[in-house]
Coordinates of all heavy atoms in Angstrom, one line a residue:
M1 N 209.5 27.8 -48.8 CA 208.5 27.0 -49.5 C 208.9 27.0 -51.0 O 209.0 28.0 -51.6 CB 207.2 27.8 -49.3 CG 206.0 27.0 -49.9 SD 204.4 27.8 -49.7 CE 204.3 27.7 -47.9
P2 N 209.2 25.8 -51.5 CA 209.7 25.8 -52.9 C 208.6 26.1 -53.9 O 207.4 25.8 -53.7 CB 210.1 24.3 -53.1 CG 209.5 23.6 -51.9 CD 209.2 24.5 -50.9
T3 N 209.0 26.9 -54.9 CA 208.0 27.3 -56.0 C 208.5 26.8 -57.3 O 209.7 26.9 -57.6 CB 207.9 28.8 -56.0 OG1 207.5 29.3 -54.8 CG2 207.0 29.3 -57.1
S4 N 207.6 26.3 -58.1 CA 208.0 25.8 -59.5 C 208.2 27.1 -60.4 O 207.8 28.2 -60.1 CB 206.8 25.0 -60.1 OG 206.6 23.9 -59.3
P5 N 208.9 26.9 -61.5 CA 209.1 28.0 -62.4 C 207.8 28.4 -63.0 O 206.8 27.7 -63.1 CB 210.0 27.4 -63.5 CG 210.4 26.0 -63.1 CD 209.6 25.6 -61.9
W6 N 207.7 29.7 -63.4 CA 206.5 30.3 -64.0 C 206.3 29.6 -65.3 O 207.2 29.4 -66.1 CB 206.7 31.8 -64.1 CG 206.6 32.5 -62.8 CD1 207.7 32.9 -62.1 CD2 205.5 32.8 -62.0 NE1 207.3 33.5 -60.9 CE2 206.0 33.4 -60.8 CE3 204.1 32.6 -62.1 CZ2 205.1 33.8 -59.8 CZ3 203.3 33.0 -61.1 CH2 203.8 33.6 -60.0
Q7 N 205.0 29.3 -65.6 CA 204.6 28.7 -66.9 C 203.5 29.5 -67.5 O 202.7 30.1 -66.8 CB 204.2 27.3 -66.7 CG 205.2 26.4 -66.1 CD 204.6 25.0 -65.8 OE1 203.6 24.6 -66.3 NE2 205.4 24.2 -65.0
K8 N 203.4 29.6 -68.8 CA 202.3 30.2 -69.5 C 201.8 29.2 -70.5 O 202.5 28.3 -71.0 CB 202.6 31.5 -70.1 CG 203.6 31.5 -71.3 CD 203.8 32.9 -71.8 CE 204.6 32.8 -73.1 NZ 204.7 34.1 -73.7
S9 N 200.6 29.4 -71.0 CA 199.9 28.6 -71.9 C 200.7 28.7 -73.3 O 201.1 29.7 -73.7 CB 198.5 29.0 -72.1 OG 197.9 28.3 -73.3
T10 N 200.8 27.6 -74.0 CA 201.3 27.6 -75.3 C 200.5 28.4 -76.3 O 200.9 28.8 -77.3 CB 201.6 26.2 -75.9 OG1 200.3 25.5 -75.8 CG2 202.6 25.4 -75.0
Y11 N 199.2 28.6 -75.9 CA 198.3 29.4 -76.8 C 198.7 30.8 -76.8 O 198.3 31.6 -77.6 CB 196.8 29.3 -76.3 CG 196.2 27.9 -76.5 CD1 196.0 27.0 -75.5 CD2 195.8 27.6 -77.8 CE1 195.4 25.8 -75.7 CE2 195.3 26.3 -78.1 CZ 195.1 25.4 -77.0 OH 194.5 24.2 -77.3
S12 N 199.5 31.3 -75.8 CA 199.9 32.6 -75.7 C 200.9 33.0 -76.7 O 201.1 34.2 -77.0 CB 200.4 32.9 -74.3 OG 199.5 32.7 -73.3
G13 N 201.7 32.1 -77.2 CA 202.7 32.3 -78.1 C 203.8 33.3 -77.6 O 204.2 33.2 -76.4
D14 N 204.1 34.3 -78.3 CA 205.1 35.3 -77.9 C 204.5 36.5 -77.3 O 205.1 37.5 -77.0 CB 206.0 35.7 -79.1 CG 206.9 34.6 -79.5 OD1 207.3 33.7 -78.7 OD2 207.3 34.5 -80.7
S15 N 203.2 36.5 -77.1 CA 202.4 37.6 -76.5 C 203.0 38.0 -75.2 O 203.4 37.1 -74.4 CB 201.0 37.3 -76.5 OG 200.2 38.4 -76.0
S16 N 203.0 39.3 -74.8 CA 203.5 39.7 -73.5 C 202.4 39.9 -72.5 O 202.7 40.3 -71.4 CB 204.3 41.0 -73.7 OG 203.5 42.0 -74.1
N17 N 201.2 39.7 -72.8 CA 200.1 39.9 -71.8 C 199.4 38.6 -71.6 O 198.3 38.3 -72.0 CB 199.1 41.0 -72.3 CG 198.5 40.6 -73.7 OD1 199.0 39.8 -74.4 ND2 197.4 41.3 -74.0
C18 N 200.1 37.7 -70.8 CA 199.7 36.4 -70.6 C 199.5 36.1 -69.1 O 200.2 36.7 -68.3 CB 200.7 35.4 -71.1 SG 201.1 35.7 -72.8
L19 N 198.7 35.2 -68.7 CA 198.6 34.8 -67.3 C 199.6 33.7 -67.2 O 199.7 32.7 -67.9 CB 197.2 34.2 -67.1 CG 197.0 33.7 -65.7 CD1 197.0 34.8 -64.7 CD2 195.6 33.0 -65.6
E20 N 200.4 33.8 -66.1 CA 201.5 32.8 -65.8 C 201.1 32.2 -64.5 O 200.5 32.8 -63.6 CB 202.8 33.5 -65.7 CG 203.3 34.2 -67.0 CD 204.6 34.9 -66.9 OE1 204.9 35.5 -65.8 OE2 205.3 34.9 -67.9
V21 N 201.5 30.9 -64.4 CA 201.1 30.1 -63.2 C 202.4 29.4 -62.7 O 203.3 29.0 -63.5 CB 200.1 29.0 -63.7 CG1 199.8 28.1 -62.5 CG2 198.9 29.6 -64.3
A22 N 202.5 29.3 -61.4 CA 203.6 28.6 -60.7 C 203.0 27.8 -59.6 O 202.1 28.3 -58.8 CB 204.6 29.5 -60.2
A23 N 203.3 26.5 -59.5 CA 202.8 25.7 -58.4 C 203.8 25.8 -57.2 O 205.0 25.9 -57.3 CB 202.8 24.2 -58.8
E24 N 203.2 25.7 -56.0 CA 204.0 25.7 -54.8 C 203.3 24.8 -53.8 O 202.1 24.4 -54.0 CB 204.1 27.1 -54.2 CG 202.9 27.7 -53.7 CD 203.1 29.1 -53.0 OE1 204.2 29.7 -53.2 OE2 202.3 29.6 -52.3
T25 N 203.9 24.4 -52.8 CA 203.4 23.5 -51.8 C 202.1 24.0 -51.3 O 202.0 25.1 -50.7 CB 204.4 23.2 -50.6 OG1 205.6 22.8 -51.2 CG2 203.8 22.2 -49.7
G26 N 201.0 23.3 -51.5 CA 199.7 23.7 -51.0 C 199.0 24.8 -51.7 O 197.9 25.2 -51.3
G27 N 199.5 25.3 -52.8 CA 198.9 26.4 -53.5 C 199.4 26.6 -54.9 O 200.2 25.9 -55.5
I28 N 198.9 27.7 -55.5 CA 199.2 28.1 -56.9 C 199.4 29.6 -56.9 O 198.6 30.3 -56.2 CB 198.1 27.7 -57.8 CG1 197.9 26.2 -57.9 CG2 198.3 28.2 -59.2 CD1 196.8 25.7 -58.7
K29 N 200.4 30.1 -57.6 CA 200.6 31.5 -57.7 C 200.3 31.9 -59.2 O 200.5 31.1 -60.1 CB 202.1 31.8 -57.5 CG 202.5 31.7 -56.0 CD 203.9 32.2 -55.8 CE 204.2 32.2 -54.4 NZ 205.5 32.8 -54.1
L30 N 199.6 33.0 -59.3 CA 199.2 33.6 -60.6 C 199.7 35.0 -60.8 O 199.8 35.8 -59.8 CB 197.7 33.6 -60.7 CG 196.9 32.3 -60.4 CD1 195.5 32.6 -60.2 CD2 197.1 31.4 -61.6
R31 N 200.2 35.3 -62.0 CA 200.6 36.7 -62.2 C 200.4 37.0 -63.7 O 200.3 36.1 -64.5 CB 202.1 36.9 -61.9 CG 203.1 36.2 -62.8 CD 204.5 36.5 -62.4 NE 205.4 35.9 -63.3 CZ 206.7 35.9 -63.2 NH1 207.2 36.4 -62.1 NH2 207.5 35.3 -64.1
E32 N 200.3 38.2 -64.0 CA 200.2 38.7 -65.4 C 201.6 39.0 -65.9 O 202.3 39.8 -65.2 CB 199.2 39.8 -65.6 CG 199.0 40.2 -67.0 CD 198.0 41.3 -67.2 OE1 197.2 41.6 -66.3 OE2 198.0 41.9 -68.3
S33 N 202.0 38.6 -67.1 CA 203.3 38.8 -67.5 C 203.6 40.3 -67.7 O 204.8 40.7 -67.6 CB 203.6 38.1 -68.8 OG 202.7 38.5 -69.8
D34 N 202.6 41.1 -68.0 CA 202.8 42.6 -68.1 C 203.2 43.3 -66.8 O 203.8 44.3 -66.8 CB 201.6 43.3 -68.7 CG 201.4 43.0 -70.1 OD1 202.3 42.5 -70.8 OD2 200.3 43.3 -70.6
D35 N 202.8 42.6 -65.7 CA 203.1 43.2 -64.3 C 203.5 42.1 -63.4 O 202.7 41.7 -62.5 CB 201.8 43.9 -63.8 CG 202.0 44.8 -62.7 OD1 203.2 44.9 -62.2 OD2 201.1 45.4 -62.2
P36 N 204.7 41.5 -63.5 CA 205.0 40.3 -62.8 C 205.3 40.5 -61.3 O 205.4 39.5 -60.6 CB 206.3 39.9 -63.5 CG 206.9 41.1 -64.1 CD 205.7 41.9 -64.5
E37 N 205.3 41.8 -60.8 CA 205.5 42.0 -59.4 C 204.2 41.7 -58.6 O 204.2 41.5 -57.4 CB 206.0 43.4 -59.1 CG 207.4 43.6 -59.5 CD 207.6 43.8 -61.0 OE1 206.8 44.4 -61.6 OE2 208.6 43.4 -61.5
V38 N 203.0 41.8 -59.3 CA 201.8 41.6 -58.6 C 201.4 40.1 -58.7 O 201.2 39.6 -59.8 CB 200.6 42.4 -59.3 CG1 199.3 42.1 -58.6 CG2 200.9 43.9 -59.2
I39 N 201.4 39.4 -57.6 CA 201.2 37.9 -57.6 C 200.0 37.6 -56.7 O 200.0 38.0 -55.6 CB 202.5 37.2 -57.1 CG1 203.7 37.5 -58.0 CG2 202.3 35.7 -56.9 CD1 205.0 37.0 -57.5
L40 N 199.1 36.8 -57.3 CA 198.0 36.3 -56.5 C 198.3 34.9 -56.1 O 198.9 34.1 -56.9 CB 196.7 36.3 -57.3 CG 196.3 37.6 -57.9 CD1 195.1 37.4 -58.8 CD2 195.9 38.6 -56.8
T41 N 198.0 34.5 -54.8 CA 198.2 33.2 -54.3 C 196.9 32.6 -54.0 O 196.0 33.2 -53.4 CB 199.1 33.2 -53.1 OG1 200.4 33.8 -53.4 CG2 199.4 31.8 -52.6
A42 N 196.7 31.3 -54.4 CA 195.4 30.6 -54.1 C 195.7 29.2 -53.7 O 196.7 28.6 -54.1 CB 194.5 30.7 -55.4
T43 N 194.8 28.6 -53.0 CA 194.9 27.2 -52.7 C 194.5 26.4 -53.9 O 193.8 26.9 -54.8 CB 194.0 26.8 -51.5 OG1 192.6 27.0 -51.9 CG2 194.3 27.6 -50.3
T44 N 195.0 25.2 -54.0 CA 194.7 24.3 -55.1 C 193.2 24.1 -55.1 O 192.6 24.0 -56.2 CB 195.5 23.0 -55.1 OG1 195.3 22.4 -53.8 CG2 196.9 23.2 -55.4
Q45 N 192.6 24.0 -54.0 CA 191.1 23.7 -53.9 C 190.3 24.9 -54.5 O 189.3 24.7 -55.2 CB 190.7 23.4 -52.5 CG 189.2 23.1 -52.3 CD 188.7 21.9 -53.1 OE1 189.5 21.0 -53.3 NE2 187.5 21.9 -53.5
S46 N 190.7 26.1 -54.2 CA 190.0 27.3 -54.7 C 190.1 27.4 -56.2 O 189.2 27.7 -56.9 CB 190.4 28.6 -54.0 OG 191.7 28.8 -54.2
V47 N 191.3 27.1 -56.7 CA 191.5 27.1 -58.2 C 190.7 26.0 -58.8 O 190.0 26.2 -59.9 CB 193.0 27.0 -58.5 CG1 193.2 26.9 -60.0 CG2 193.7 28.2 -58.0
R48 N 190.6 24.8 -58.2 CA 189.8 23.7 -58.7 C 188.4 24.1 -58.8 O 187.7 23.9 -59.8 CB 190.0 22.5 -57.9 CG 189.3 21.3 -58.3 CD 189.5 20.0 -57.5 NE 190.9 19.7 -57.5 CZ 191.7 19.6 -56.4 NH1 191.2 20.0 -55.2 NH2 192.9 19.2 -56.5
Q49 N 187.9 24.8 -57.7 CA 186.5 25.2 -57.7 C 186.2 26.3 -58.8 O 185.1 26.3 -59.4 CB 186.1 25.8 -56.3 CG 186.0 24.7 -55.3 CD 184.9 23.8 -55.5 OE1 184.9 22.9 -56.4 NE2 183.8 23.9 -54.7
L50 N 187.1 27.2 -59.0 CA 187.0 28.2 -60.0 C 186.9 27.6 -61.4 O 186.0 27.9 -62.2 CB 188.2 29.2 -60.0 CG 188.2 30.2 -61.1 CD1 187.0 31.1 -61.1 CD2 189.5 31.0 -61.1
V51 N 187.8 26.6 -61.7 CA 187.8 26.0 -63.0 C 186.5 25.2 -63.2 O 185.9 25.3 -64.3 CB 189.0 25.1 -63.2 CG1 188.9 24.2 -64.4 CG2 190.3 25.9 -63.2
L52 N 186.1 24.5 -62.2 CA 184.8 23.7 -62.3 C 183.6 24.6 -62.5 O 182.7 24.4 -63.3 CB 184.6 22.9 -61.1 CG 185.5 21.7 -60.9 CD1 185.2 21.0 -59.5 CD2 185.2 20.7 -62.0
S53 N 183.6 25.8 -61.8 CA 182.5 26.7 -62.0 C 182.5 27.3 -63.4 O 181.5 27.5 -64.0 CB 182.7 27.9 -61.0 OG 181.6 28.8 -61.1
L54 N 183.7 27.7 -63.9 CA 183.8 28.2 -65.3 C 183.3 27.2 -66.3 O 182.7 27.5 -67.3 CB 185.2 28.7 -65.6 CG 185.7 29.9 -64.8 CD1 187.1 30.2 -65.1 CD2 184.8 31.1 -65.2
K55 N 183.7 25.9 -66.1 CA 183.3 24.9 -67.0 C 181.8 24.7 -67.0 O 181.2 24.4 -68.0 CB 184.0 23.6 -66.7 CG 185.4 23.5 -67.1 CD 186.0 22.2 -66.8 CE 187.5 22.1 -67.3 NZ 188.0 20.7 -67.0
T56 N 181.2 24.8 -65.8 CA 179.8 24.6 -65.6 C 178.9 25.8 -66.1 O 177.9 25.6 -66.8 CB 179.5 24.2 -64.2 OG1 180.2 23.1 -63.8 CG2 178.0 24.0 -64.0
H57 N 179.4 26.9 -65.7 CA 178.5 28.1 -65.9 C 179.1 29.1 -66.9 O 178.4 30.1 -67.3 CB 178.4 28.9 -64.6 CG 177.8 28.0 -63.5 ND1 176.5 27.6 -63.5 CD2 178.4 27.5 -62.4 CE1 176.3 26.8 -62.4 NE2 177.4 26.8 -61.7
G58 N 180.3 28.9 -67.4 CA 180.9 29.8 -68.4 C 181.3 31.1 -67.7 O 181.4 31.2 -66.5
L59 N 181.4 32.1 -68.5 CA 181.9 33.5 -68.0 C 180.7 34.4 -67.8 O 180.9 35.6 -67.5 CB 182.9 34.1 -69.0 CG 184.2 33.3 -69.1 CD1 185.1 33.9 -70.1 CD2 184.9 33.3 -67.7
S60 N 179.5 34.0 -68.0 CA 178.4 34.9 -67.9 C 178.2 35.3 -66.5 O 178.4 34.5 -65.6 CB 177.1 34.3 -68.5 OG 176.8 33.1 -67.7
P61 N 177.8 36.6 -66.2 CA 177.6 37.0 -64.8 C 176.5 36.3 -64.2 O 175.5 36.0 -64.8 CB 177.4 38.5 -64.9 CG 177.2 38.8 -66.4 CD 177.6 37.6 -67.2
R62 N 176.6 36.1 -62.9 CA 175.6 35.4 -62.1 C 175.1 36.4 -61.0 O 175.9 37.2 -60.5 CB 176.0 34.1 -61.5 CG 176.4 33.1 -62.5 CD 176.9 31.8 -61.9 NE 176.5 31.6 -60.5 CZ 176.7 30.5 -59.9 NH1 177.3 29.5 -60.6 NH2 176.4 30.3 -58.7
S63 N 173.9 36.3 -60.7 CA 173.4 37.2 -59.6 C 173.9 36.7 -58.3 O 174.3 35.6 -58.1 CB 171.8 37.2 -59.6 OG 171.4 36.0 -59.1
A64 N 173.9 37.6 -57.3 CA 174.4 37.3 -56.0 C 173.5 36.3 -55.3 O 173.9 35.7 -54.3 CB 174.6 38.6 -55.1
D65 N 172.2 36.2 -55.7 CA 171.3 35.3 -55.1 C 171.4 33.9 -55.6 O 170.9 33.0 -55.0 CB 169.8 35.8 -55.4 CG 169.5 37.1 -54.9 OD1 170.2 37.5 -53.9 OD2 168.7 37.8 -55.5
A66 N 172.2 33.7 -56.6 CA 172.3 32.3 -57.2 C 173.1 31.4 -56.3 O 174.0 31.8 -55.5 CB 173.0 32.4 -58.6

């Protein structure tokens, strides 16, 4: 399964504690530059839902009943 090269935000500059992203067929891989061996894999749909939720609700905690 081909994977794109790891990318990080230009806002990170030369900082070593950045979230890095790589696209792959049907999904996205995420890792922290401080610990690159730990990789999270998510579907593009779940990442899309996460981003939409953050844009809509921000980072404030929500109750489990919401």
Side-chain angles (χ1 to χ4, degrees):
M1 183 177 297
T3 300
S4 299
W6 291 100
Q7 299 176 16
K8 69 175 183 173
S9 170
T10 56
Y11 289 107
S12 298
D14 292 332
S15 182
S16 64
N17 56 345
C18 307
L19 180 66
E20 298 176 328
V21 179
E24 68 177 13
T25 305
I28 296 174
K29 290 185 174 187
L30 305 164
R31 71 180 183 184
E32 186 175 342
S33 58
D34 285 347
D35 194 2
E37 287 78 36
V38 177
I39 298 172
L40 301 175
T41 303
T43 65
T44 52
Q45 180 62 27
S46 63
V47 173
R48 183 179 297 118
Q49 290 294 75
L50 173 63
V51 170
L52 288 174
S53 180
L54 290 172
K55 285 182 176 181
T56 303
H57 304 290
L59 294 175
S60 61
R62 294 177 24 167
S63 71
D65 298 334

